[in-house]
């Protein structure tokens, strides 16, 4: 990893994700399922150095985020009346900042719920509904104003946006039997080479982050690619265009499902203890069995630390 950074001085440095919370519920299946369903909220915040936890609020699960000044964020779906949508996918989000020792410190940072009072104007974010990206952008803006972002986003980037691509695409290795240049495949091959040469599990976890990040990761971008191909196929007049669009839409869904299944792989990789290498015979690796679909467990009471 160090050698890679020396050879690519212009490559953006990715800060490690904030650690998982430290309590016994982290190892329970029901909490892990809730964590998976909220990864699109927690992962961008953890990338900014903010530790997150999942708790039960008034009537639904919430994301609690301690801040450096001992205040905290509460990010929640509608609570009164409660949302009927599944955890992590509500019709709107609310984010407030509070302090345990200062009741006067209460600030609504974001609220995308439509106003039910005809005399109260709609908040600007109401048009975003349950979308997570505008929520993260609003939190970025306000916490940066307050100086409460441990790892602020780069000032020249839109919050939540990935670093720009290099101005010149990487050249494919010159081989006699390869006429076309597979720029994107070669970029993935280079990432695989970096993973093979990673000097620690933490370095390997950082590379997994490039693929599994639910906002800017490779799988998310690949899902968007197949969704775009789906829409392009629908533009054709032939019936086969619609048949193809269904296949492409299924591919996009499978890719997104893969991201959900593997969302904790980065943390699991980082927590591994390296073993001394041992020689092993050459063999064809067995195909890993498919994971069964996971149903959301019933709501659990607030954990005790």
């Amino acid at each position: 990893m160090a050698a890679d950074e020396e050879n690519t001085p212009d490559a953006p440095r990715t800060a490690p994700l904030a650690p998982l919370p430290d309590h016994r519920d982290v190892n329970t299946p029901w909490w892990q399922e809730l964590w998976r369903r909220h990864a699109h909220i927690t992962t961008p915040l953890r990338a900014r150095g903010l530790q997150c936890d999942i708790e039960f609020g008034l009537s639904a699960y919430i994301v609690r985020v301690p801040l450096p000044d001992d205040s905290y964020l509460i990010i929640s779906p509608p609570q009164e009346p409660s949302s009927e949508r599944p955890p992590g996918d509500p019709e709107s989000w609310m984010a407030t900042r509070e302090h345990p020792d200062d009741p006067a410190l209460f600030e609504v940072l974001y609220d995308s719920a439509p106003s039910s009072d005809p005399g109260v104007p709609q908040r600007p974010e109401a048009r975003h509904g349950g979308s997570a990206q505008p929520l993260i952008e609003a939190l970025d803006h306000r916490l940066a104003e307050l100086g409460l972002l441990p790892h602020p986003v780069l000032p020249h980037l839109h919050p939540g946006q990935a670093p720009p691509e290099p101005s010149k695409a990487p050249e494919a290795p010159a081989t006699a039997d390869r006429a076309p240049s597979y720029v994107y495949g070669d970029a993935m091959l280079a990432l695989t080479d970096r993973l093979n040469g990673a000097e620690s599990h933490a370095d390997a976890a950082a590379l997994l982050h490039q693929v599994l990040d639910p906002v800017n990761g490779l799988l998310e971008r690949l899902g968007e690619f197949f969704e775009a191909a789906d829409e392009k196929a629908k533009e054709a007049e032939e019936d086969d265009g619609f048949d193809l669009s269904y296949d492409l839409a299924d591919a996009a869904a499978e890719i997104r499902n893969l991201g959900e299944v593997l969302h904790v792989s980065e943390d699991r990789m980082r927590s591994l203890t390296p073993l001394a290498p041992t020689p092993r015979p050459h063999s064809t690796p067995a195909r890993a069995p498919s994971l069964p679909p996971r149903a959301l467990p019933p709501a659990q009471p607030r954990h005790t630390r």
Side-chain angles (χ1 to χ4, degrees):
M1 175 65 76
D4 291 333
E5 292 179 351
E6 291 176 2
N7 294 332
T8 56
D10 296 331
R13 297 179 181 269
T14 302
L17 294 179
L20 291 173
D22 182 17
H23 56 74
R24 61 188 181 186
D25 288 342
V26 171
N27 298 316
T28 61
W30 68 265
W31 190 92
Q32 293 175 0
E33 177 66 13
L34 288 167
W35 184 259
R36 180 184 71 82
R37 289 178 176 265
H38 290 84
H40 57 305
I41 302 295
T42 59
T43 301
L45 296 176
R46 293 174 66 209
R48 288 149 175 80
L50 297 171
Q51 193 173 31
C52 303
D53 201 354
I54 307 294
E55 300 180 354
F56 194 75
L58 296 176
S59 61
Y61 287 99
I62 63 174
V63 179
R64 182 186 176 94
V65 186
L67 297 175
D69 66 346
D70 294 330
S71 64
Y72 56 89
L73 298 179
I74 296 295
I75 304 171
S76 70
Q79 298 279 318
E80 294 180 344
S82 62
S83 172
E84 296 182 357
R85 296 175 62 88
D89 183 31
E91 56 271 68
S92 64
W93 290 103
M94 171 179 278
T96 61
R97 176 172 169 249
E98 307 173 32
H99 197 288
D101 300 322
D102 184 5
L105 195 163
F106 181 87
E107 179 183 5
V108 177
L109 280 63
Y110 187 88
D111 185 2
S112 61
S115 174
S116 58
D117 188 341
V120 177
Q122 297 284 353
R123 293 176 64 96
E125 56 262 34
R127 66 182 184 275
H128 299 306
S131 177
Q133 187 63 33
L135 166 65
I136 299 301
E137 293 174 4
L139 296 179
D140 263 331
H141 178 73
R142 181 54 179 154
L143 294 181
E145 285 183 339
L146 297 170
L148 297 177
L149 276 182
H151 301 151
V153 292
L154 296 178
H156 63 284
L157 293 180
H158 190 63
Q161 178 181 349
E165 295 293 331
S167 57
K168 182 179 179 181
E171 296 181 358
T175 57
D177 58 346
R178 278 183 66 184
S181 176
Y182 297 95
V183 176
Y184 308 105
D186 288 329
M188 191 62 211
L189 183 61
L191 187 65
T192 302
D193 289 340
R194 292 183 64 185
L195 181 60
N196 286 330
E199 298 179 354
S200 69
H201 289 99
D203 290 345
L207 295 173
L208 280 175
H209 177 72
Q210 295 293 322
V211 176
L212 300 177
D213 181 84
V215 178
N216 296 311
L218 175 65
L219 286 184
E220 175 63 22
R221 295 291 174 258
L222 193 57
E224 293 172 354
F225 175 84
F226 279 103
E227 287 176 345
D230 164 27
E231 295 299 323
K232 182 59 64 176
K234 291 177 182 177
E235 296 176 5
E237 296 181 357
E238 296 89 346
D239 291 340
D240 190 51
F242 284 94
D243 293 338
L244 175 59
S245 73
Y246 296 142
D247 292 338
L248 294 169
D250 288 343
E254 288 293 333
I255 290 169
R256 295 187 187 284
N257 181 65
L258 180 62
E260 292 181 353
V261 169
L262 296 175
H263 79 285
V264 294
S265 298
E266 178 185 347
D267 293 317
R268 294 174 64 187
M269 177 68 77
R270 184 174 287 106
S271 66
L272 292 177
T273 301
L275 297 174
T278 56
R280 55 183 178 183
H282 294 285
S283 61
T284 302
R287 179 171 179 173
S290 299
L291 295 175
R294 295 182 290 180
L296 180 68
Q300 299 291 325
R302 183 192 297 266
H303 62 73
T304 58
R305 295 184 182 273

